[in-house]
């Protein structure tokens, strides 16, 4: 699980460092509008309106793993 968390963290950091800045530099408002229409809106399963206690154990586990406990 620790390796998976590390891989996910590295992936997210690469998006923040390379992908998103490039998209902001290149995309026009019409590009963003076209993209927005192609994605389904989804509630965040952990922190969204319908999350709550259902994912509490998973959240606690992930936080312990991330802290190396």
């Amino acid at each position: 699980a620790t390796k998976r968390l590390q891989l996910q963290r590295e992936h997210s950091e690469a998006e923040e460092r390379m992908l998103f800045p490039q998209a902001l530099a290149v995309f026009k408002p019409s590009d963003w509008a076209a993209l927005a229409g192609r994605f389904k809106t989804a509630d965040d399963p952990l922190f969204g309106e319908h999350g709550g206690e259902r994912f509490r154990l998973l959240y606690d586990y992930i936080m312990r793993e991330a802290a190396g406990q």
Side-chain angles (χ1 to χ4, degrees), residues 29-44:
S30 59
D31 297 321
W32 290 112
L35 281 173
R38 300 194 67 176
F39 289 93
K40 177 181 154 189
T41 302
D43 188 37
D44 185 309

Side-chain angles (χ1 to χ4, degrees), residues 11-69:
H11 176 84
S12 294
E13 288 170 357
E15 287 179 337
E16 293 290 335
R17 199 174 51 254
M18 294 182 288
L19 178 71
F20 296 139
Q22 186 66 26
L24 289 170
V26 174
F27 285 11
K28 297 178 232 138
S30 59
D31 297 321
W32 290 112
L35 281 173
R38 300 194 67 176
F39 289 93
K40 177 181 154 189
T41 302
D43 188 37
D44 185 309
L46 185 56
F47 299 108
E49 180 180 345
H50 303 289
E53 290 302 311
R54 180 174 171 209
F55 289 99
R56 189 73 193 159
L57 291 175
L58 174 61
Y59 174 79
D60 291 341
Y61 171 77
I62 291 170
M63 294 308 290
R64 282 193 308 276
E65 286 293 314
Q69 298 178 355

